[in-house]
Amino acid sequence: MKASDIGEFALIKRLMDRQDVPDPAIVRGVGDDCAVLDVGEGPYMLIAADMIVENIHFSLKWSSPEQIGSKLVECNVSDIVSMGGRPRYGIVSMALPKDTELGFLDKLYDGVYSACNRHGMFIIGGDTTHGSDIVLNLTIVGDVEKRLLRARDMAKEGDLICVTGRLGGSEGGLRLLLAGTKGDVGPHLDPRSRCAEEGRTIARYANAMIDISDGLGSELMHLCDESHVGAVIYKDKIPLSDPAIAAAGILSESACDYALYGGEDLELLFTVPEDNMEGLREAYEDFSIIGRILSSEEGVAIDENGERKAIGPGYDHFRR
Amino acid sequence: MKASDIGEFALIKRLMDRQDVPDPAIVRGVGDDCAVLDVGEGPYMLIAADMIVENIHFSLKWSSPEQIGSKLVECNVSDIVSMGGRPRYGIVSMALPKDTELGFLDKLYDGVYSACNRHGMFIIGGDTTHGSDIVLNLTIVGDVEKRLLRARDMAKEGDLICVTGRLGGSEGGLRLLLAGTKGDVGPHLDPRSRCAEEGRTIARYANAMIDISDGLGSELMHLCDESHVGAVIYKDKIPLSDPAIAAAGILSESACDYALYGGEDLELLFTVPEDNMEGLREAYEDFSIIGRILSSEEGVAIDENGERKAIGPGYDHFRR
C-alpha cells in the first residue's frame, strides 16, 4: 500500500501518534495546528512546522524568491494565529540545489524577513544543506496565554460558524497560472496570514478556531470531526473574494468551489456562541457568519437554496 | 556567485543573522548548535533543526528505513547534548515521493521512535508533503538549567581539550560503502549520540562544548573561532575507533584523517580547566585529553611528532 493512498491526515496520525506520552507538559500534541507545551507559570508555548517543496507548493516559473520566502512564513504564522497565539521565533531549514545563486537566496530571505517583521517574529536558527529540489521548512514557535488558547476541537452545538475576510482568491490565482491566463494572481503568490491581534481578539469570543489552509470544506470537516459535532453552512453566505470571482469568470469555474476546496486562503474559521456575537461585533468587523454548529448526527453539510448536501473532502497535499 | 561557493557556515550567517534582535528572551540565536530561549523562571529552552536529504545524507542503497529514522533523531539529540541539555520534544517534517510505501514509512518511524525512546523524548507534531526525493527535517526542543548551559564560545586559554569515545568510524564506514568493500559500516549507518546524562556530567566540569558532526578539525576550528582562542592537538592522542582503523587499513587511507575531516561521529569535543580535571575523571571516564587551548595568536594546529601544522577545513555539507 502506498502512503499516498491513505491521505495526509491519516498518515500523520498513523506515523506520529504512536508514543504513550506521560509528559504533563504536552498539553496538545499531534493533530492540532500547533503542539502546545506548558513550560511554567507563563503562557503556553506553541510549536508548528511547515515544509514547502519546489514545484509542489511554489514554482519559480511564477513566484519571485521574495514571494516564496514570505509565503513560507505566512503559512506558519497562520497556524499560530489560529490558536490565539503570537508568533515569536522561526527556525529555517533549507535544501538547495548546488547551483543556487546567492542573489536568489538573499531575495528569498528578504521575503522571510519582511514577513517576520510584519508579524514581530525573529529567525533564531536553521540548517542548510543541498538537494535536487528546493525544500524549505520553517518551524515556528509562538505563545498564548492559557485562557486564550483556542483549537479545532472546541466547537459547541449551537455556535455560529464564521470566517474572516473573503475566500477563494488563492485557488483562483493558481488556476489562472496553471491555465496560463492573465488575471489577479496575487492572492496565490503572496498570501497573508491574519495578524496575531486579530486572532486574539476573536479568541476572546470564539469557542473553536482553525486556519483555512486546505479549503473551507476540509477545515470545517476537521473542526467538526475533532469537536464531535455536525454543521451546516449556507452557500450564499460564503464570502468570495473579488479575485476569486474574477478568476472563476475568466475560467468558467465556480468561485465557491475555490473557497470550499482550494488551498491557502489563510483566513480564520471559527465558531462563536450566540451570546458572544454582539461583543465580537463591537471588537472586530472583518468576518462573516456562514452557518451553525449542529449535533454530530446531522453531519457536515452545505445548504444551497434550502437543499443540503454533504461536504466532500478538500485539498490534501498528499493526494493531489 | 553560487551559494555553494561561500560554504554552509558563512551562508547561514549571511542569510539568518540579518535582524536586529531586541528580544531579551533570545539568549543565543543563529550560530550555535541550538538557539537558547529564556522562557521564565525555569530552565532555558533549546531549539535546533536538522534536515537530511536522500542521496546526500543517506542512501536507500545501504541504509534501512529504521536506520534513517534513528539517524535523524540522533544527529539532533547530539546538538542538544552538546549544550548540556536534555532532549524533550521533536517535530518531524517529511517530503516523500508519491510512490512511497506505507511499510517503508512505518519502519522509518520505528527508527525515529526507538531513538526517541532511548533519549526520553516525544514526537509532538509534524508536516507531511510530497517531493521528488525524501527530505526529512527534525526540529528538536530541549532544556538546560541556566548554570549548565555550555557552548562553543566558552573555551579559555589553558583549558585541556578533550573528546568522548573514539573517532573516525562514521567516515570509515562511508568510505567502505562508497568503495563497495566489506567491513564494519555500522558507525556510519547507525550513529549514536552521547546521552544527556553524559553531556550534563561533562558540563559540570567543562568550559566549552560542541558535538562532532563535521569532523574534529572543523569543530575545533569553530570552537576556537567563536571563543577567540588558538589550540594545539596532538595527532597521537586522537582516539581512533577500531572500525575506523580497520576501514583505513582495508582502503589504505588514514584513520586520523577520517577523525579530523570526516562527518557524524556524534562525539563531544569539550575544554576543561586543569583544576577541574580530577573531578571530571572521578565523575566520567570515557574521554581522552588530546590537546590544549592556546592564545588566538598561536592559531589552530595539529602536532605530529613535534611538528605543528595548521588544521584545514573539515566537512562542509554545502561544498561536498
Side-chain angles (χ1 to χ4, degrees):
Chain A
M1 188 175 181
K2 307 286 183 198
S4 50
D5 294 336
I6 72 169
E8 183 187 3
F9 299 99
L11 186 63
I12 287 184
K13 198 118 184 100
R14 176 185 176 116
L15 295 176
M16 298 190 189
D17 207 4
R18 272 171 31 183
Q19 281 181 303
D20 286 330
V21 176
D23 186 334
I26 304 175
V27 178
R28 287 167 174 269
V30 172
D32 279 286
D33 285 326
C34 305
V36 181
L37 298 175
D38 188 351
V39 293
E41 297 293 292
Y44 285 140
M45 177 161 281
L46 303 172
I47 307 186
D50 211 18
M51 184 177 268
I52 63 175
V53 180
E54 184 182 356
N55 298 325
I56 309 276
H57 300 90
F58 62 88
S59 168
L60 297 176
K61 273 189 299 191
W62 48 60
S63 287
S64 71
E66 290 91 341
Q67 286 170 332
I68 296 164
S70 171
K71 186 169 180 170
L72 176 67
V73 175
E74 294 288 346
C75 291
N76 274 276
V77 166
S78 185
D79 286 328
I80 297 284
V81 169
S82 73
M83 296 188 79
R86 289 173 294 227
R88 298 285 302 272
Y89 312 114
I91 299 104
V92 180
S93 300
M94 308 185 285
L96 301 169
K98 282 211 164 186
D99 62 354
T100 302
E101 292 285 342
L102 201 50
F104 171 86
L105 283 181
D106 283 338
K107 285 178 195 158
L108 183 86
Y109 269 80
D110 285 342
V112 167
Y113 286 114
S114 67
C116 284
N117 291 339
R118 277 197 293 280
H119 294 287
M121 58 180 283
F122 301 106
I123 299 298
I124 57 172
D127 187 31
T128 304
T129 186
H130 57 260
S132 51
D133 294 324
I134 300 175
V135 180
L136 305 171
N137 186 82
L138 180 69
T139 300
I140 191 167
V141 177
D143 60 15
V144 58
E145 295 83 350
K146 288 169 183 168
R147 69 188 164 77
L148 280 188
L149 179 72
R150 294 295 176 273
R152 56 181 67 184
D153 62 356
M154 295 172 165
K156 299 267 184 304
E157 205 180 320
D159 283 358
L160 295 164
I161 301 170
C162 309
V163 291
T164 57
R166 299 186 160 269
L167 304 175
S170 177
E171 183 70 16
L174 176 60
R175 299 262 173 166
L176 289 171
L177 289 166
L178 290 170
T181 307
K182 288 218 161 128
D184 184 355
V185 297
H188 178 72
L189 297 183
D190 208 8
R192 296 289 170 95
S193 169
R194 292 282 156 176
C195 66
E197 288 64 36
E198 295 177 273
R200 294 159 66 74
T201 299
I202 292 167
R204 292 189 178 88
Y205 302 94
N207 278 336
M209 186 149 56
I210 189 171
D211 76 313
I212 303 179
S213 52
D214 294 331
L216 172 63
S218 173
E219 305 297 355
L220 181 63
M221 295 224 297
H222 292 314
L223 186 144
C224 289
D225 280 353
E226 298 285 328
S227 296
H228 307 291
V229 295
V232 60
I233 58 173
Y234 297 90
K235 187 173 177 183
D236 61 359
K237 303 281 187 196
I238 297 173
L240 302 172
S241 74
D242 291 343
I245 294 166
I250 292 166
L251 298 168
S252 301
E253 294 177 328
S254 156
C256 189
D257 282 353
Y258 297 168
L260 282 167
Y261 308 116
E264 291 176 343
D265 277 320
L266 303 191
E267 296 291 352
L268 298 170
L269 171 66
F270 55 98
T271 78
V272 180
E274 202 143 2
D275 288 350
N276 286 358
M277 190 48 79
E278 197 181 321
L280 174 61
R281 280 200 189 285
E282 280 168 24
Y284 189 68
E285 287 185 348
D286 190 11
F287 72 96
S288 310
I289 301 173
I290 62 168
R292 190 179 288 273
I293 296 294
L294 307 175
S295 71
S296 62
E297 293 76 43
E298 296 181 77
V300 182
I302 183 163
D303 182 302
E304 189 173 351
N305 304 321
E307 194 186 332
R308 288 193 186 185
K309 287 185 224 164
I311 291 183
Y315 180 91
D316 186 321
H317 290 294
F318 207 73
R319 290 187 187 206
R320 183 140 162 180
Chain B
M1 189 176 181
K2 306 288 184 200
S4 50
D5 294 335
I6 71 167
E8 185 187 2
F9 299 98
L11 185 63
I12 287 183
K13 198 115 186 104
R14 177 185 175 116
L15 294 176
M16 297 192 189
D17 205 6
R18 271 172 31 182
Q19 280 182 303
D20 286 329
V21 175
D23 186 334
I26 304 175
V27 178
R28 287 167 174 269
V30 172
D32 280 285
D33 285 325
C34 305
V36 181
L37 298 176
D38 188 351
V39 294
E41 298 292 292
Y44 286 139
M45 176 160 283
L46 304 172
I47 307 186
D50 210 20
M51 183 177 270
I52 63 175
V53 180
E54 185 184 356
N55 297 326
I56 310 276
H57 300 90
F58 63 89
S59 168
L60 296 176
K61 273 190 299 188
W62 49 59
S63 289
S64 72
E66 290 91 339
Q67 287 170 331
I68 297 163
S70 172
K71 187 170 180 170
L72 176 67
V73 175
E74 294 287 346
C75 291
N76 274 276
V77 166
S78 186
D79 286 329
I80 297 284
V81 169
S82 74
M83 296 188 80
R86 289 174 295 227
R88 298 286 302 272
Y89 312 113
I91 300 104
V92 180
S93 301
M94 306 185 284
L96 301 168
K98 283 211 165 185
D99 61 355
T100 302
E101 291 286 342
L102 202 50
F104 171 86
L105 284 180
D106 284 338
K107 286 179 194 157
L108 184 85
Y109 270 79
D110 286 342
V112 167
Y113 286 114
S114 66
C116 284
N117 290 339
R118 276 196 294 280
H119 294 287
M121 57 180 282
F122 301 107
I123 299 298
I124 57 172
D127 187 30
T128 304
T129 187
H130 57 261
S132 49
D133 295 323
I134 300 176
V135 179
L136 306 170
N137 186 82
L138 179 69
T139 301
I140 191 167
V141 178
D143 60 15
V144 58
E145 295 84 349
K146 289 169 184 169
R147 71 191 161 78
L148 280 188
L149 179 71
R150 294 296 176 272
R152 56 181 67 182
D153 62 355
M154 294 172 166
K156 298 270 186 300
E157 205 180 320
D159 284 357
L160 294 165
I161 301 170
C162 309
V163 291
T164 56
R166 299 186 158 271
L167 304 176
S170 177
E171 183 71 16
L174 177 59
R175 298 262 173 165
L176 289 171
L177 289 164
L178 290 170
T181 307
K182 288 217 160 126
D184 183 355
V185 298
H188 179 72
L189 296 183
D190 208 7
R192 295 289 170 93
S193 170
R194 292 283 155 174
C195 67
E197 288 64 36
E198 295 177 272
R200 294 159 65 73
T201 299
I202 293 168
R204 290 189 180 88
Y205 302 94
N207 278 335
M209 188 149 55
I210 188 170
D211 76 313
I212 303 180
S213 53
D214 294 332
L216 172 63
S218 173
E219 304 298 355
L220 181 64
M221 296 223 299
H222 292 315
L223 185 144
C224 290
D225 280 354
E226 298 285 328
S227 296
H228 306 292
V229 294
V232 59
I233 58 173
Y234 297 89
K235 189 173 176 183
D236 60 359
K237 303 282 189 195
I238 297 173
L240 302 173
S241 75
D242 291 342
I245 293 166
I250 292 166
L251 299 168
S252 303
E253 294 178 330
S254 156
C256 188
D257 281 354
Y258 296 169
L260 281 167
Y261 307 117
E264 290 174 347
D265 278 319
L266 304 191
E267 297 290 351
L268 298 169
L269 171 66
F270 56 98
T271 79
V272 181
E274 202 143 2
D275 288 351
N276 286 359
M277 190 47 80
E278 197 182 320
L280 174 59
R281 280 201 190 284
E282 280 168 25
Y284 189 67
E285 285 183 349
D286 191 11
F287 71 96
S288 310
I289 301 173
I290 61 167
R292 189 179 288 274
I293 297 293
L294 308 174
S295 72
S296 62
E297 293 76 42
E298 295 181 78
V300 182
I302 182 163
D303 182 304
E304 189 175 349
N305 303 320
E307 194 186 332
R308 289 194 186 184
K309 287 185 224 165
I311 291 181
Y315 181 91
D316 184 321
H317 290 294
F318 206 72
R319 290 188 185 205
R320 186 146 162 174

